[in-house]
C-alpha cells in the first residue's frame, strides 16, 4: 500500500479571541480599547514581538494617547499588566488570561517603548477574584429551589440564557461571598436598572458590596443611594448636568472615593481647580490632581493649603533669584560707545569769537 503525503501550501494566520473576553469584557469596553486589545493578541502571533507605541498608533490610525488610555483600561480590568523602567517609561506588557485570575498567569510578554505613563495604569484592583466552585458543589446548589428560582429570575432580567460562566459567578456570590438570594436578586435588578447587563459589571458590584460588608437589600439600597449622590455631586462640581455618569467616569470616581478615600470636599476642590485651569470638565485632569495629592498624603483641606503655600513660596524664590541675577554684558557696539562730555558754555563763546 502506497503512502500519500499531504502538503499544505497555505499558511493561514489565526488570532484566537476568548469567548470569556467577548461575553464579559467586550460589552463594557470602548471600541477603540477593544481594537488595541485585539492588536496585542495579533502581535503575539508574530516574531519578534517588539514595537513602539508610535508604530502601533500608525497601524491602528489613532494617537499614542489613545493607546495609553486603552492600556490603562485593560490593566484595570486585569487583562494585562504593565512594566516600567526606573524613569517611569513603559517597557513591557504581559497579557493575562481573560479570567483575570492572577498576575502570574501571564500568557506572553510584549516589549516596547513609549512616553512616560502614570504608574496608576499598572495597578490592579485590590479585590479578590472569585474562585471556581467544584462541579459537585455547582450540582448541589442547582438542586436548591431558591437557587433555581434565582437563576430563572436572572435570565429574565438579562434577557438571555445564562452561560456556564455566568451561572458559576452567580453561585459564587451565594456560596463564596455569602450573599442571600434576595440580595443577589436585587444586585441583578440594580445593575440592569443602570443599563449594565454584563456579568463582569455585576461581579464588580458584588465584590464592592462584599468589601463594604453589605449583607441585606436595605444596606445595598442605602449604599447605592449614598454613592449615587456622590457621583452627581462630582458631576455638578465639574459643571456636568442632566446626564448619568458613564462607566469610565464611575471607575475614576470610585478610585477617588474608595481607593484614595478622599472626602467630597477635597474631590470638589480638585474639580474646581480643573475647571479653572482647563475651562472644561476633564476627569483625566482631576484624576491627575487627586493622584498627586494622594502621593503627598493629603487628607484635609489644611494639607492642600500647606501644599499651595509651599508651592507659592518656591515660585517666589525662583522669581526673586531671576530678578537679582546681574544682567549679562552686551556686545552691542552702540551700547559700548564711550560718550563724550561737552562744556556748552565754552562751546558757545568759541562760536561767537569766530
Amino acid at each position: 500500500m502506497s503512502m500519500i503525503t499531504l502538503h499544505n501550501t497555505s499558511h493561514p494566520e489565526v488570532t484566537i479571541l476568548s469567548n470569556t473576553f467577548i461575553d464579559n469584557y467586550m460589552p463594557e469596553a470602548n471600541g477603540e480599547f477593544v481594537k488595541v486589545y485585539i492588536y496585542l493578541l495579533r502581535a503575539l502571533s508574530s516574531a519578534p514581538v517588539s514595537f513602539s507605541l508610535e508604530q502601533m498608533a500608525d497601524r491602528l490610525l489613532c494617537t499614542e494617547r489613545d493607546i495609553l488610555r486603552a492600556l490603562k483600561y485593560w490593566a484595570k480590568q486585569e487583562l494585562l499588566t504593565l512594566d516600567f523602567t526606573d524613569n517611569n517609561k513603559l517597557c513591557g506588557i504581559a497579557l493575562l488570561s481573560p479570567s483575570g485570575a492572577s498576575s502570574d498567569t501571564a500568557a506572553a510578554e510584549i516589549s516596547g517603548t513609549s512616553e512616560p505613563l502614570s504608574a496608576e495604569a499598572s495597578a490592579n484592583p485590590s479585590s479578590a477574584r472569585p474562585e471556581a466552585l467544584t462541579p459537585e458543589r455547582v450540582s448541589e446548589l442547582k438542586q436548591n429551589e431558591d437557587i433555581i428560582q434565582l437563576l430563572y429570575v436572572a435570565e429574565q432580567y438579562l434577557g438571555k440564557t445564562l452561560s456556564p460562566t455566568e451561572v458559576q459567578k452567580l453561585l459564587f456570590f451565594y456560596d463564596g461571598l455569602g450573599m442571600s438570594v434576595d440580595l443577589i436578586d436585587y444586585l441583578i435588578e440594580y445593575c440592569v436598572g443602570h443599563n449594565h447587563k454584563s456579568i463582569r459589571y455585576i461581579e464588580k458590584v458584588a465584590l464592592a458590596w462584599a468589601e463594604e460588608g453589605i449583607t441585606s437589600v436595605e444596606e445595598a439600597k442605602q449604599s447605592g443611594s449614598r454613592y449615587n449622590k456622590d457621583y452627581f455631586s462630582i458631576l455638578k462640581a465639574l459643571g456636568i448636568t442632566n446626564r448619568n455618569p458613564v462607566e469610565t467616569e464611575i471607575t475614576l470616581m470610585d478610585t477617588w472615593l474608595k481607593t484614595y478615600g478622599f472626602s467630597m470636599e477635597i474631590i470638589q476642590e480638585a474639580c474646581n481647580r480643573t475647571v479653572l485651569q482647563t475651562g472644561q470638565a476633564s476627569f483625566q485632569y482631576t484624576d491627575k490632581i487627586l493622584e498627586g495629592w494622594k502621593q503627598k498624603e493629603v487628607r484635609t483641606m489644611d494639607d492642600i493649603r500647606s501644599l499651595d503655600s509651599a508651592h507659592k513660596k518656591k515660585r517666589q524664590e525662583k522669581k526673586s533669584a531671576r530678578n537679582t541675577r546681574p544682567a549679562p554684558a552686551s556686545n552691542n557696539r552702540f551700547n559700548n560707545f564711550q560718550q563724550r562730555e561737552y562744556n556748552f558754555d565754552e562751546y558757545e563763546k568759541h562760536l561767537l569769537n569766530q
Side-chain angles (χ1 to χ4, degrees):
M1 181 176 64
S2 61
M3 302 296 294
I4 300 175
T5 302
L6 180 64
H7 297 277
N8 182 14
T9 58
S10 64
H11 300 281
E13 294 184 0
V14 177
T15 298
I16 299 176
L17 189 62
S18 167
N19 288 335
T20 302
F21 173 83
I22 296 173
D23 293 339
N24 301 333
Y25 295 85
M26 190 173 70
E28 296 293 328
N30 178 291
E32 291 295 318
F33 296 172
V34 173
K35 185 165 68 172
V36 169
Y37 180 76
I38 294 176
Y39 180 86
L40 294 177
L41 293 178
R42 167 67 180 85
L44 288 175
S45 63
S46 302
V49 190
S50 181
F51 55 85
S52 69
L53 290 188
E54 182 180 6
Q55 293 171 332
M56 190 172 178
D58 290 341
R59 181 79 177 195
L60 298 180
L61 300 179
C62 59
T63 66
E64 291 185 45
R65 187 179 296 272
D66 293 332
I67 302 295
L68 295 177
R69 280 199 298 265
L71 294 176
K72 178 178 179 180
Y73 175 82
W74 292 123
K76 287 185 176 180
Q77 298 299 316
E78 297 184 0
L79 284 184
L80 55 84
T81 59
L82 305 175
D83 295 326
F84 297 87
T85 62
D86 292 338
N87 58 351
N88 204 30
K89 287 188 176 182
L90 182 64
C91 61
I93 306 171
L95 293 185
L96 307 178
S97 167
S99 62
S102 64
S103 60
D104 57 4
T105 58
E109 296 284 343
I110 300 178
S111 298
T113 58
S114 73
E115 294 300 316
L117 180 66
S118 168
E120 177 198 347
S122 63
N124 291 324
S126 60
S127 57
R129 306 296 303 164
E131 297 178 0
L133 303 178
T134 64
E136 293 77 12
R137 183 55 177 161
V138 171
S139 179
E140 179 183 350
L141 290 173
K142 284 185 175 181
Q143 304 303 314
N144 185 313
E145 288 296 330
D146 290 338
I147 296 298
I148 294 174
Q149 181 65 20
L150 172 65
L151 297 179
Y152 172 78
V153 170
E155 289 184 337
Q156 304 312 304
Y157 275 125
L158 300 178
K160 66 173 185 176
T161 301
L162 297 176
S163 68
T165 300
E166 291 167 333
V167 171
Q168 180 86 266
K169 291 190 176 183
L170 292 177
L171 294 181
F172 176 80
F173 301 160
Y174 177 84
D175 199 54
L177 299 181
M179 288 185 168
S180 66
V181 170
D182 289 340
L183 183 55
I184 299 174
D185 189 354
Y186 176 72
L187 166 68
I188 301 171
E189 177 187 351
Y190 172 84
C191 294
V192 173
H194 288 76
N195 299 318
H196 296 291
K197 293 186 177 183
S198 165
I199 194 64
R200 173 70 174 171
Y201 183 88
I202 296 172
E203 175 191 345
K204 289 169 65 177
V205 176
L207 292 172
W209 286 1
E211 288 182 354
E212 283 188 64
I214 293 174
T215 58
S216 68
V217 173
E218 185 61 31
E219 290 174 347
K221 288 181 179 179
Q222 292 176 356
S223 175
S225 175
R226 181 173 69 256
Y227 280 109
N228 281 340
K229 181 181 178 181
D230 288 343
Y231 292 156
F232 287 108
S233 296
I234 294 173
L235 289 179
K236 182 179 179 181
L238 285 170
I240 301 173
T241 58
N242 301 322
R243 74 166 175 83
N244 293 325
V246 298
E247 175 62 21
T248 53
E249 294 170 346
I250 290 175
T251 299
L252 285 174
M253 289 188 287
D254 282 344
T255 299
W256 306 339
L257 291 165
K258 300 177 183 179
T259 305
Y260 293 168
F262 283 134
S263 67
M264 183 54 59
E265 184 181 22
I266 289 179
I267 296 175
Q268 288 176 328
E269 176 66 20
C271 293
N272 293 337
R273 295 185 181 210
T274 295
V275 175
L276 287 174
Q277 290 293 325
T278 67
Q280 61 183 350
S282 172
F283 273 82
Q284 289 73 23
Y285 194 93
T286 304
D287 186 53
K288 288 298 180 185
I289 293 176
L290 291 171
E291 182 184 4
W293 287 351
K294 178 65 176 178
Q295 292 174 353
K296 292 179 173 61
E297 299 183 351
V298 167
R299 304 305 306 168
T300 66
M301 290 298 296
D302 286 339
D303 294 336
I304 295 175
R305 283 187 280 270
S306 296
L307 288 176
D308 289 344
S309 178
H311 178 71
K312 182 178 180 181
K313 182 179 179 181
K314 186 176 181 180
R315 187 170 56 185
Q316 288 175 341
E317 289 175 350
K318 288 183 178 180
K319 183 177 180 180
S320 177
R322 286 197 300 267
N323 291 337
T324 57
R325 189 179 304 153
S330 173
N331 293 324
N332 191 312
R333 62 189 181 90
F334 294 103
N335 290 339
N336 295 331
F337 178 73
Q338 183 67 37
Q339 297 184 3
R340 297 187 178 91
E341 295 182 358
Y342 294 97
N343 187 323
F344 287 98
D345 290 337
E346 293 294 334
Y347 187 62
E348 182 178 14
K349 292 179 181 178
H350 175 73
L351 291 175
L352 291 175
N353 292 332
Q354 284 184 349

